[in-house]
Amino acid sequence: MNIIDEIKNIILERDEVKANELFEEYHPVDICLELEDYEDEEIGIFVKLLNKENLGLLLESAEEDLARIIMRFFTNEELIETFAFIENSIVADLLGFLSTVRRKEILSLIKSDKQNILKMILSFDEESAGSIMTTNFIALKEHLTADQAVKKIISISPKTEIIDKIFVTDDKHRLSGIVTMRDLLVCHADTLLRDLMEECDFYVYGTDDQEVAANLFSKYELDILPVVNNKMVVLGVITSDDIIAVIDQEHNEDMLQMHGVNADEEYDSSLMESFKSRLPWLVVNLITAFLASSVVKGFESTISQVVVLSAAMPIVTGMGGNAGSQTLSIIITSLARGELSLKEDFKLIFKEIFLGLTEGAIIGLLAAGVFVFWHHNLYLGFILFLAMILNMIIACSMGFLIPLLLDRLKVDPAIASSIFLTTFTDVFGFFIFLGLATMFLPKLV
């Protein structure tokens, strides 16, 4: 029997035992994916059969819409019992899905120490490093000996997610360094933590964008990353597990926005949501298409005399668009990783100009050869060759400059870059090709 049939039978029979046994057989993510296809009432029947631990596993894995539905079926007290099995950062996310009134009610019922932690996490922007950090870490004072540190770790480790790396702080709770569990176990018992610790080179502020943390993990292959406030007090820690979801989310957002789609749209979004998400960018694309069309209209007499030009035009603009998109993808990716800036790396545009020149020459030569073979006109081939080179230079240059300029103006390069790039390659591609054709018109007729 597969998971679909098992969930269906559990709901029909209201079998509490089988409902909880399901978590021994299947991953909570798979259970969530199946539950998303059920009506709210059926979901309610299923989740009410679960013990608090399995309910916690389900909520940890649920997407926002499903989590909202699940939490509707439980009282504030029942949710608080369930939250005991869930890591604080995820509890904060779940509370964020609730109405302001209910969130405040639940927070008022939670013990003060955990309440303060949750309030702190909730105070951070949802795209910040502070919103994804875990508060289950160990931080010890630098004046402790290795023996004292190990005894403390043994006493608090059952409640802690991370014990292989320990943060060392001064008397004011400021981050001093980091020490590994291995070093603690192999050193002399009287060694002070301040003498054993290594400097912590990498950290993020709670208010930093989560993409900053993702870039540090990717660039330096980190396992954990401390999150601090402006006084260098350790607030939490981000693990590699936490950051995988962020990297995936940021990548998906960039890919969608590059193609003029709202990052919030899903494959199963409602018709109206998809309509609202896509239409504005299609209108912008239509405006830019009219701009390119107006260039073509200006050369109507040339095209009417040499009809074959209409077959070559899409090749010039299409290849320019492809070349520019290659550059654009690389630059946007590099910007997202924090590896590139307009001020420091402007000279790299000369590399893109050279690439456009060489690639344009090769592609232009191939395209020109085909058209000369078809139409037996060397001048047509020469015009196509020259137009391809010039448009490829423009495409590669704009693919480099546009995202950098947008980033400098604090506009997300992933959203608007492709539209501007298409405009440049189409407008200049048509203008250059048809302009050259007009100059050599006597040789083409």
Side-chain angles (χ1 to χ4, degrees), residues 316 360-361 364-365 367-372 377-390 432-433 436-437 439-440 443-444:
V316 176
L365 191 63
V370 171
F371 268 81
V372 169
N377 191 314
L378 286 172
Y379 287 99
L380 177 61
F382 174 72
I383 291 167
L384 185 56
F385 172 73
L386 193 56
M388 189 73 76
I389 291 174
L390 293 173
I432 291 168
F433 180 66
L436 289 170
M439 290 171 59
F440 289 90
K443 305 292 184 180
L444 298 175

Side-chain angles (χ1 to χ4, degrees), residues 273-294:
E273 287 173 339
S274 296
F275 181 78
K276 289 179 179 178
S277 168
R278 303 181 194 185
L279 185 63
W281 293 108
L282 290 175
V283 172
V284 174
N285 279 327
L286 178 63
I287 294 169
T288 60
F290 274 123
L291 186 60
S293 179
S294 66

Side-chain angles (χ1 to χ4, degrees), residues 318-375:
M319 292 308 301
N322 289 337
S325 294
Q326 289 177 332
T327 303
L328 192 67
S329 300
I330 294 167
I331 300 304
I332 288 178
T333 302
S334 300
L335 279 172
R337 292 174 180 165
E339 299 170 347
L340 197 64
S341 72
L342 181 62
K343 185 177 180 180
E344 296 176 5
D345 301 288
F346 180 76
K347 290 181 179 179
L348 290 175
I349 192 172
F350 296 110
K351 169 198 167 187
E352 296 301 329
I353 290 171
F354 182 73
L355 272 173
L357 175 65
T358 52
E359 291 175 346
I362 294 169
I363 299 299
L365 191 63
L366 292 171
V370 171
F371 268 81
V372 169
F373 176 77
W374 281 351
H375 302 283

Side-chain angles (χ1 to χ4, degrees), residues 208-394:
D208 284 344
D209 192 287
Q210 59 187 15
E211 200 167 348
V212 174
N215 291 338
L216 287 172
F217 270 93
S218 299
K219 187 174 182 179
Y220 299 104
E221 299 181 354
L222 305 177
D223 297 318
I224 62 171
L225 185 66
V227 181
V228 300
N229 65 13
N230 57 3
K231 294 181 180 178
M232 290 301 293
V233 174
V234 184
L235 303 176
V237 59
I238 299 173
T239 67
S240 54
D241 290 339
D242 298 325
I243 216 66
I244 288 172
V246 173
I247 293 172
D248 183 56
Q249 175 189 335
E250 295 289 343
H251 172 73
N252 289 341
E253 284 182 4
D254 287 346
M255 289 300 295
L256 289 168
Q257 289 172 342
M258 279 181 68
H259 294 87
V261 179
N262 192 307
D264 295 328
E265 185 179 347
E266 300 285 349
Y267 74 94
D268 57 351
S269 295
S270 70
L271 178 63
M272 187 55 66
E273 287 173 339
S274 296
F275 181 78
K276 289 179 179 178
S277 168
R278 303 181 194 185
L279 185 63
W281 293 108
L282 290 175
V283 172
V284 174
N285 279 327
L286 178 63
I287 294 169
T288 60
F290 274 123
L291 186 60
S293 179
S294 66
V295 174
V296 176
K297 182 174 176 59
F299 292 94
E300 277 184 338
S301 60
T302 301
I303 297 171
S304 64
Q305 294 179 66
V306 188
V307 179
V308 70
L309 294 175
S310 61
M313 288 190 303
I315 296 175
V316 176
T317 57
M319 292 308 301
N322 289 337
S325 294
Q326 289 177 332
T327 303
L328 192 67
S329 300
I330 294 167
I331 300 304
I332 288 178
T333 302
S334 300
L335 279 172
R337 292 174 180 165
E339 299 170 347
L340 197 64
S341 72
L342 181 62
K343 185 177 180 180
E344 296 176 5
D345 301 288
F346 180 76
K347 290 181 179 179
L348 290 175
I349 192 172
F350 296 110
K351 169 198 167 187
E352 296 301 329
I353 290 171
F354 182 73
L355 272 173
L357 175 65
T358 52
E359 291 175 346
I362 294 169
I363 299 299
L365 191 63
L366 292 171
V370 171
F371 268 81
V372 169
F373 176 77
W374 281 351
H375 302 283
H376 310 289
N377 191 314
L378 286 172
Y379 287 99
L380 177 61
F382 174 72
I383 291 167
L384 185 56
F385 172 73
L386 193 56
M388 189 73 76
I389 291 174
L390 293 173
N391 200 35
M392 292 277 263
I393 290 173
I394 290 170

